[in-house]
Amino acid sequence: MGAMADPVTHPGRSEIRIEAVLQALADPIRLRFVRELAKLGCEGAPCGSIELPVTKSTRTHHLRILREAGVIHVRPEGTSRISTLRRDDLDALYPGLLDSILAAAH
Amino acid sequence: MGAMADPVTHPGRSEIRIEAVLQALADPIRLRFVRELAKLGCEGAPCGSIELPVTKSTRTHHLRILREAGVIHVRPEGTSRISTLRRDDLDALYPGLLDSILAAAH
């Protein structure tokens, strides 16, 4: 039931829109999450391993916005979920965007 | 009275925040305005010379968000206002950001 109520879908590369990406990144909590994810590289991070100063439901909300915008990929692994940054897609679509934002996000 | 009620203030370069810049650009109307402004170069555009499919008050709202985020500079010139893109400030703070967004905004 849970899985059906909240399917983990992702936009394809061609479906990613710059407005949604900017909106997703225009939040200090989401920017912090993306910055931590970028540090971890391509292996991804188990859900919860990146600490955020928010409640679990707020965290879920932020991760959904990032996923639906095409900024992160989330895959189930056992009972957990692993998040990865969609760096290849973002770098292909918007060369320099992610790097400039990550460099600025302090 | 009008000028006092709506002072044309701008954040200094050091006051510009990446979250506010991304938020300001994460809107199709504002992105369109910024794209048109970028085409015009540094001379700037008289208020109203860049057509937007919105009412005057909505336009004023969008321009205020861009100005308060540090994306555009607005200067009075007679009874009009001239908008310019703060490209020097944005390029200095976030190298590559504006170029990647302008290239994507289609």
Side-chain angles (χ1 to χ4, degrees), chain B residues 28-55:
Chain B
I29 295 293
R30 294 195 291 268
L31 203 48
R32 176 169 165 173
F33 184 79
V34 166
R35 195 163 70 236
E36 293 295 319
L37 215 48
K39 279 189 206 160
L40 294 172
C42 56
E43 307 91 51
C47 182
S49 67
I50 294 178
E51 285 184 30
L52 297 175
V54 295
T55 62

CSV table of all heavy atoms in Angstrom, one decimal, chain B residues 28-55:
chain,number,residue,atom,x,y,z
B,28,PRO,N,8.9,31.0,-14.9
B,28,PRO,CA,9.0,31.2,-16.4
B,28,PRO,C,8.9,32.6,-16.8
B,28,PRO,O,9.6,33.0,-17.8
B,28,PRO,CB,7.8,30.4,-17.0
B,28,PRO,CG,7.0,29.9,-15.8
B,28,PRO,CD,7.8,30.0,-14.6
B,29,ILE,N,8.1,33.4,-16.2
B,29,ILE,CA,8.0,34.8,-16.6
B,29,ILE,C,9.2,35.6,-16.2
B,29,ILE,O,9.8,36.4,-17.0
B,29,ILE,CB,6.7,35.5,-15.8
B,29,ILE,CG1,5.4,34.9,-16.3
B,29,ILE,CG2,6.7,37.0,-16.1
B,29,ILE,CD1,5.1,35.1,-17.7
B,30,ARG,N,9.8,35.4,-15.0
B,30,ARG,CA,11.0,36.1,-14.6
B,30,ARG,C,12.2,35.6,-15.4
B,30,ARG,O,13.0,36.4,-15.8
B,30,ARG,CB,11.2,35.9,-13.1
B,30,ARG,CG,10.1,36.5,-12.3
B,30,ARG,CD,10.5,36.7,-10.8
B,30,ARG,NE,10.7,35.4,-10.1
B,30,ARG,CZ,9.7,34.8,-9.4
B,30,ARG,NH1,8.5,35.4,-9.3
B,30,ARG,NH2,9.9,33.7,-8.7
B,31,LEU,N,12.2,34.3,-15.8
B,31,LEU,CA,13.3,33.8,-16.6
B,31,LEU,C,13.2,34.4,-18.0
B,31,LEU,O,14.3,34.8,-18.6
B,31,LEU,CB,13.1,32.3,-16.7
B,31,LEU,CG,14.3,31.4,-17.0
B,31,LEU,CD1,15.5,31.8,-16.2
B,31,LEU,CD2,14.0,30.0,-16.8
B,32,ARG,N,12.0,34.6,-18.5
B,32,ARG,CA,11.9,35.2,-19.8
B,32,ARG,C,12.3,36.7,-19.8
B,32,ARG,O,13.0,37.1,-20.7
B,32,ARG,CB,10.4,35.2,-20.2
B,32,ARG,CG,10.0,35.9,-21.5
B,32,ARG,CD,8.6,35.5,-21.8
B,32,ARG,NE,8.0,36.4,-22.8
B,32,ARG,CZ,6.9,36.1,-23.4
B,32,ARG,NH1,6.1,35.1,-23.1
B,32,ARG,NH2,6.4,37.0,-24.3
B,33,PHE,N,12.0,37.4,-18.7
B,33,PHE,CA,12.4,38.8,-18.6
B,33,PHE,C,13.9,38.9,-18.5
B,33,PHE,O,14.6,39.7,-19.2
B,33,PHE,CB,11.8,39.4,-17.3
B,33,PHE,CG,12.1,40.9,-17.2
B,33,PHE,CD1,11.4,41.8,-17.9
B,33,PHE,CD2,13.1,41.3,-16.3
B,33,PHE,CE1,11.7,43.2,-17.8
B,33,PHE,CE2,13.4,42.6,-16.2
B,33,PHE,CZ,12.7,43.6,-16.9
B,34,VAL,N,14.5,38.0,-17.7
B,34,VAL,CA,16.0,38.0,-17.6
B,34,VAL,C,16.7,37.6,-18.9
B,34,VAL,O,17.7,38.2,-19.3
B,34,VAL,CB,16.4,37.0,-16.5
B,34,VAL,CG1,17.9,36.8,-16.5
B,34,VAL,CG2,16.1,37.6,-15.1
B,35,ARG,N,16.1,36.7,-19.6
B,35,ARG,CA,16.7,36.3,-20.9
B,35,ARG,C,16.6,37.5,-21.9
B,35,ARG,O,17.6,37.7,-22.6
B,35,ARG,CB,15.9,35.1,-21.5
B,35,ARG,CG,16.5,34.4,-22.6
B,35,ARG,CD,15.9,33.0,-22.8
B,35,ARG,NE,14.6,33.1,-23.3
B,35,ARG,CZ,13.5,32.5,-22.7
B,35,ARG,NH1,13.6,31.9,-21.6
B,35,ARG,NH2,12.3,32.6,-23.3
B,36,GLU,N,15.5,38.2,-21.9
B,36,GLU,CA,15.4,39.4,-22.8
B,36,GLU,C,16.4,40.4,-22.4
B,36,GLU,O,17.0,41.1,-23.3
B,36,GLU,CB,14.0,39.9,-22.8
B,36,GLU,CG,12.9,39.0,-23.4
B,36,GLU,CD,13.1,38.8,-24.9
B,36,GLU,OE1,13.4,39.7,-25.6
B,36,GLU,OE2,12.9,37.6,-25.3
B,37,LEU,N,16.5,40.6,-21.1
B,37,LEU,CA,17.4,41.7,-20.6
B,37,LEU,C,18.9,41.3,-21.0
B,37,LEU,O,19.7,42.2,-21.3
B,37,LEU,CB,17.3,41.7,-19.1
B,37,LEU,CG,17.4,43.0,-18.3
B,37,LEU,CD1,16.6,44.1,-19.0
B,37,LEU,CD2,17.0,42.8,-16.9
B,38,ALA,N,19.2,40.0,-20.9
B,38,ALA,CA,20.6,39.6,-21.2
B,38,ALA,C,20.9,39.9,-22.7
B,38,ALA,O,22.0,40.2,-23.0
B,38,ALA,CB,20.7,38.1,-20.9
B,39,LYS,N,19.9,39.7,-23.5
B,39,LYS,CA,20.1,40.0,-25.0
B,39,LYS,C,20.4,41.5,-25.2
B,39,LYS,O,21.1,41.8,-26.2
B,39,LYS,CB,18.8,39.6,-25.8
B,39,LYS,CG,18.6,38.2,-26.1
B,39,LYS,CD,17.4,38.0,-27.0
B,39,LYS,CE,16.8,36.6,-26.9
B,39,LYS,NZ,15.4,36.6,-27.4
B,40,LEU,N,19.8,42.3,-24.4
B,40,LEU,CA,19.9,43.8,-24.6
B,40,LEU,C,21.3,44.3,-24.2
B,40,LEU,O,21.7,45.4,-24.6
B,40,LEU,CB,18.9,44.5,-23.8
B,40,LEU,CG,17.4,44.3,-24.3
B,40,LEU,CD1,16.5,45.0,-23.3
B,40,LEU,CD2,17.2,44.9,-25.7
B,41,GLY,N,22.0,43.5,-23.4
B,41,GLY,CA,23.3,44.0,-22.9
B,41,GLY,C,23.2,45.0,-21.8
B,41,GLY,O,22.2,45.1,-21.2
B,42,CYS,N,24.3,45.7,-21.6
B,42,CYS,CA,24.4,46.5,-20.4
B,42,CYS,C,23.6,47.8,-20.5
B,42,CYS,O,23.6,48.5,-19.5
B,42,CYS,CB,25.9,46.8,-20.1
B,42,CYS,SG,26.7,47.6,-21.5
B,43,GLU,N,23.1,48.2,-21.6
B,43,GLU,CA,22.4,49.5,-21.6
B,43,GLU,C,21.1,49.5,-20.8
B,43,GLU,O,20.6,50.5,-20.4
B,43,GLU,CB,22.0,49.9,-23.1
B,43,GLU,CG,23.1,49.9,-24.1
B,43,GLU,CD,23.2,48.5,-24.7
B,43,GLU,OE1,22.2,48.0,-25.2
B,43,GLU,OE2,24.3,48.0,-24.7
B,44,GLY,N,20.5,48.3,-20.7
B,44,GLY,CA,19.3,48.2,-19.9
B,44,GLY,C,18.1,48.4,-20.7
B,44,GLY,O,18.2,48.8,-21.9
B,45,ALA,N,16.9,48.1,-20.1
B,45,ALA,CA,15.7,48.2,-20.8
B,45,ALA,C,14.7,49.1,-20.0
B,45,ALA,O,14.5,49.0,-18.8
B,45,ALA,CB,15.1,46.8,-20.9
B,46,PRO,N,14.1,50.1,-20.8
B,46,PRO,CA,13.0,50.9,-20.1
B,46,PRO,C,11.9,50.0,-19.6
B,46,PRO,O,11.6,49.0,-20.3
B,46,PRO,CB,12.6,51.8,-21.2
B,46,PRO,CG,13.6,51.8,-22.2
B,46,PRO,CD,14.3,50.5,-22.2
B,47,CYS,N,11.4,50.2,-18.5
B,47,CYS,CA,10.3,49.5,-18.0
B,47,CYS,C,9.1,49.4,-19.0
B,47,CYS,O,8.7,50.4,-19.5
B,47,CYS,CB,9.8,50.1,-16.7
B,47,CYS,SG,8.4,49.2,-15.9
B,48,GLY,N,8.7,48.2,-19.3
B,48,GLY,CA,7.6,48.1,-20.3
B,48,GLY,C,8.1,47.7,-21.7
B,48,GLY,O,7.3,47.3,-22.5
B,49,SER,N,9.4,48.0,-22.0
B,49,SER,CA,9.9,47.7,-23.3
B,49,SER,C,10.0,46.2,-23.6
B,49,SER,O,10.1,45.8,-24.7
B,49,SER,CB,11.2,48.4,-23.5
B,49,SER,OG,12.2,47.9,-22.7
B,50,ILE,N,10.2,45.4,-22.5
B,50,ILE,CA,10.2,44.0,-22.6
B,50,ILE,C,8.8,43.5,-22.3
B,50,ILE,O,8.3,43.6,-21.2
B,50,ILE,CB,11.2,43.3,-21.6
B,50,ILE,CG1,12.6,43.7,-22.0
B,50,ILE,CG2,11.0,41.8,-21.6
B,50,ILE,CD1,13.7,43.2,-21.1
B,51,GLU,N,8.1,42.9,-23.4
B,51,GLU,CA,6.7,42.5,-23.2
B,51,GLU,C,6.6,41.2,-22.4
B,51,GLU,O,7.4,40.3,-22.7
B,51,GLU,CB,6.1,42.4,-24.6
B,51,GLU,CG,5.8,43.8,-25.2
B,51,GLU,CD,5.0,43.7,-26.5
B,51,GLU,OE1,4.2,42.7,-26.7
B,51,GLU,OE2,5.2,44.6,-27.3
B,52,LEU,N,5.7,41.2,-21.5
B,52,LEU,CA,5.4,40.0,-20.7
B,52,LEU,C,3.9,39.7,-20.7
B,52,LEU,O,3.2,40.7,-20.7
B,52,LEU,CB,5.9,40.1,-19.3
B,52,LEU,CG,7.4,40.3,-19.1
B,52,LEU,CD1,7.7,40.6,-17.6
B,52,LEU,CD2,8.2,39.1,-19.6
B,53,PRO,N,3.5,38.5,-20.8
B,53,PRO,CA,2.1,38.2,-20.9
B,53,PRO,C,1.4,38.2,-19.5
B,53,PRO,O,0.8,37.3,-19.1
B,53,PRO,CB,2.0,36.8,-21.5
B,53,PRO,CG,3.3,36.2,-21.0
B,53,PRO,CD,4.3,37.3,-20.9
B,54,VAL,N,1.6,39.3,-18.8
B,54,VAL,CA,1.0,39.5,-17.5
B,54,VAL,C,0.5,40.9,-17.3
B,54,VAL,O,0.9,41.8,-18.0
B,54,VAL,CB,2.1,39.2,-16.3
B,54,VAL,CG1,2.5,37.7,-16.4
B,54,VAL,CG2,3.3,40.1,-16.5
B,55,THR,N,-0.3,41.1,-16.2
B,55,THR,CA,-0.8,42.4,-15.9
B,55,THR,C,0.3,43.3,-15.4
B,55,THR,O,1.4,42.8,-15.0
B,55,THR,CB,-1.9,42.4,-14.9
B,55,THR,OG1,-1.3,41.8,-13.7
B,55,THR,CG2,-3.1,41.5,-15.3
